[in-house]
Short mmCIF file of all heavy atoms in Angstrom, two decimals:
data_model
loop_
_atom_site.label_atom_id
_atom_site.label_comp_id
_atom_site.label_asym_id
_atom_site.label_seq_id
_atom_site.Cartn_x
_atom_site.Cartn_y
_atom_site.Cartn_z
N VAL A 336 94.85 75.36 90.75
CA VAL A 336 93.97 75.71 89.63
C VAL A 336 94.51 75.12 88.33
O VAL A 336 93.77 74.52 87.53
CB VAL A 336 93.83 77.25 89.52
CG1 VAL A 336 93.20 77.66 88.20
CG2 VAL A 336 93.02 77.79 90.69
N MET A 337 95.81 75.28 88.11
CA MET A 337 96.40 74.81 86.85
C MET A 337 96.37 73.28 86.75
O MET A 337 96.17 72.73 85.66
CB MET A 337 97.84 75.34 86.71
CG MET A 337 97.91 76.83 86.46
SD MET A 337 97.05 77.37 84.94
CE MET A 337 98.13 76.70 83.67
N ARG A 338 96.59 72.59 87.87
CA ARG A 338 96.49 71.13 87.85
C ARG A 338 95.10 70.71 87.42
O ARG A 338 94.92 69.76 86.66
CB ARG A 338 96.79 70.54 89.23
CG ARG A 338 98.24 70.47 89.54
CD ARG A 338 98.51 69.46 90.66
NE ARG A 338 99.91 69.53 91.01
CZ ARG A 338 100.39 70.15 92.08
NH1 ARG A 338 99.57 70.69 92.97
NH2 ARG A 338 101.68 70.21 92.30
N GLY A 339 94.11 71.44 87.91
CA GLY A 339 92.73 71.15 87.49
C GLY A 339 92.56 71.42 86.00
O GLY A 339 92.02 70.60 85.27
N LYS A 340 93.06 72.55 85.54
CA LYS A 340 92.88 72.92 84.13
C LYS A 340 93.58 71.95 83.19
O LYS A 340 93.17 71.76 82.05
CB LYS A 340 93.43 74.33 83.87
CG LYS A 340 92.55 75.44 84.40
CD LYS A 340 93.11 76.82 84.08
CE LYS A 340 92.86 77.26 82.65
NZ LYS A 340 91.46 77.51 82.32
N LEU A 341 94.68 71.36 83.65
CA LEU A 341 95.45 70.46 82.79
C LEU A 341 95.19 69.00 83.12
O LEU A 341 95.85 68.11 82.57
CB LEU A 341 96.95 70.79 82.90
CG LEU A 341 97.32 72.17 82.33
CD1 LEU A 341 98.78 72.51 82.62
CD2 LEU A 341 97.06 72.22 80.82
N ALA A 342 94.24 68.73 84.03
CA ALA A 342 93.87 67.36 84.40
C ALA A 342 95.07 66.53 84.84
O ALA A 342 95.20 65.36 84.49
CB ALA A 342 93.13 66.68 83.24
N LEU A 343 95.96 67.19 85.59
CA LEU A 343 97.13 66.45 86.08
C LEU A 343 96.68 65.65 87.29
O LEU A 343 95.96 66.16 88.14
CB LEU A 343 98.24 67.44 86.47
CG LEU A 343 98.66 68.37 85.34
CD1 LEU A 343 99.72 69.36 85.83
CD2 LEU A 343 99.18 67.57 84.14
N ASP A 344 97.10 64.40 87.35
CA ASP A 344 96.61 63.59 88.46
C ASP A 344 97.36 63.95 89.74
O ASP A 344 98.34 64.67 89.74
CB ASP A 344 96.66 62.09 88.14
CG ASP A 344 98.07 61.60 88.03
OD1 ASP A 344 98.92 62.07 88.81
OD2 ASP A 344 98.33 60.76 87.16
N GLY A 345 96.86 63.44 90.84
CA GLY A 345 97.31 63.93 92.14
C GLY A 345 98.48 63.20 92.74
O GLY A 345 98.85 63.47 93.87
N THR A 346 99.14 62.26 92.03
CA THR A 346 100.20 61.49 92.68
C THR A 346 101.38 62.39 93.02
O THR A 346 101.80 63.23 92.21
CB THR A 346 100.69 60.32 91.80
OG1 THR A 346 101.27 60.89 90.63
CG2 THR A 346 99.55 59.41 91.42
N ALA A 347 101.91 62.20 94.21
CA ALA A 347 102.94 63.11 94.72
C ALA A 347 104.21 63.05 93.86
O ALA A 347 104.83 64.08 93.59
CB ALA A 347 103.25 62.76 96.16
N ALA A 348 104.58 61.87 93.42
CA ALA A 348 105.83 61.73 92.66
C ALA A 348 105.78 62.57 91.40
O ALA A 348 106.69 63.35 91.09
CB ALA A 348 106.05 60.27 92.32
#
Side-chain angles (χ1 to χ4, degrees):
V336 167
M337 290 301 289
R338 281 200 186 103
K340 285 182 79 67
L341 293 173
L343 303 177
D344 68 38
T346 64

